[in-house]
Amino acid sequence: QVQLQESGPGLVKPSQTLSLTCTVSGGSITTGSFFWSWIRQPAGKGLEWIGRIYTDGSPTYNPSLKSRMSMSLDTSKNQFSLKLNSVTAADTAVYYCARLEVTSLNLDYWGQGALVTVSS
Amino acid sequence: EVVMTQSPATLSVSPGETATLSCRASHSVGPNLAWYQQKPGQAPRLLIYAASTRATGVPARFSGSGSGTEFTLTISSLQSEDFAVYFCHQYNGWLNTFGQGTKLEIK
């Protein structure tokens, strides 16, 4: 059974960098059948797609966040990561990592989510 | 960007009855639409993909329909565990977008 787990600081100061890691178990992130994705959800609001990264390391970012973000893979640890620079209170949200199947483009497995609060 | 609009925002239905949730896309997304269920404190769960295909393990009382810009999720014979928030998700192209959600509550 595939499982994803987010980890990272729960509190980030304004203007600093948000860093999250997703550890994947039960399957390899190098399998060519999946993209590895980040989605976020501010409290009481809907979901926002942040971006995805393929097994070759090529990312695709939401244009609204592109200038501030980067994603990467660590195949030795079976992890992928998100960095979001220059954060503001508007970046406060639950951040989910998820697996996106290449063929169906469905987000079929999700992590439990990590709450990140931006506050001084 | 394709904007997804869900209606109603909140739907009150009695257990055992049928709930009908709607999702409208600002531009055609073909059949490339999924529905997710989310319960408090939990990650979303994939219910329906390709507009009408149930994901593995999803009960038959969940059904999806539609194509292009108009989509519907129907939940028949509502069970207590079905009361949750439902999101639609379009994946027609690389920029995925989600609806704002419909909260299905017990009447």
Side-chain angles (χ1 to χ4, degrees):
Chain A
Q1 177 77 346
V2 174
Q3 293 186 313
L4 291 83
Q5 180 66 57
E6 305 87 351
S7 59
L11 181 64
V12 181
K13 288 181 166 51
S15 79
Q16 295 193 341
T17 297
L18 178 159
S19 295
L20 290 171
T21 296
C22 183
T23 300
V24 180
S25 58
S28 173
I29 64 169
T30 61
T31 301
S33 302
F34 306 105
F35 294 99
W36 303 96
S37 306
W38 289 98
I39 299 108
R40 69 180 182 179
Q41 185 175 34
K45 297 186 178 181
L47 297 158
E48 179 182 29
W49 180 76
I50 298 172
R52 70 187 190 197
I53 187 165
Y54 191 51
T55 56
D56 64 359
S58 57
T60 305
Y61 301 145
N62 188 321
S64 68
L65 299 169
K66 185 176 181 179
S67 63
R68 297 196 289 129
M69 66 177 288
S70 64
M71 295 178 63
S72 60
L73 295 176
D74 185 337
T75 57
S76 67
K77 297 180 179 179
N78 219 38
Q79 296 175 334
F80 61 104
S81 298
L82 167 70
K83 290 188 186 297
L84 185 64
N85 304 321
S86 305
V87 296
T88 69
D91 296 309
T92 295
V94 175
Y95 286 75
Y96 294 100
C97 59
R99 189 180 81 169
L100 180 72
E101 193 180 20
V102 167
T103 303
S104 66
L105 294 178
N106 293 308
L107 295 158
D108 57 358
Y109 287 96
W110 296 62
Q112 283 299 104
L115 174 61
V116 179
T117 302
V118 179
S119 174
S120 56
Chain B
E1 175 181 326
V2 178
V3 177
M4 307 302 291
T5 303
Q6 290 186 243
S7 61
T10 303
L11 182 61
S12 299
V13 184
S14 300
E17 295 188 339
T18 295
T20 302
L21 289 68
S22 296
C23 179
R24 174 176 293 178
S26 62
H27 302 87
S28 176
V29 298
N32 300 310
L33 183 110
W35 290 94
Y36 294 84
Q37 177 193 67
Q38 187 177 33
K39 296 181 179 179
Q42 297 184 17
R45 171 197 177 197
L46 177 64
L47 296 176
I48 301 284
Y49 63 94
S52 61
T53 302
R54 277 189 301 277
T56 302
V58 175
R61 63 180 182 273
F62 291 88
S63 63
S65 64
S67 184
T69 61
E70 300 283 344
F71 300 87
T72 300
L73 174 68
T74 301
I75 313 168
S76 59
S77 301
L78 278 164
Q79 308 292 305
S80 58
E81 61 266 29
D82 299 335
F83 292 95
V85 177
Y86 292 84
F87 292 97
C88 59
H89 165 222
Q90 71 80 18
Y91 47 92
N92 188 54
W94 58 270
L95 182 54
N96 292 195
T97 51
F98 296 86
Q100 288 299 102
T102 290
K103 181 179 181 181
L104 180 59
E105 63 177 28
I106 300 175
K107 186 175 182 180

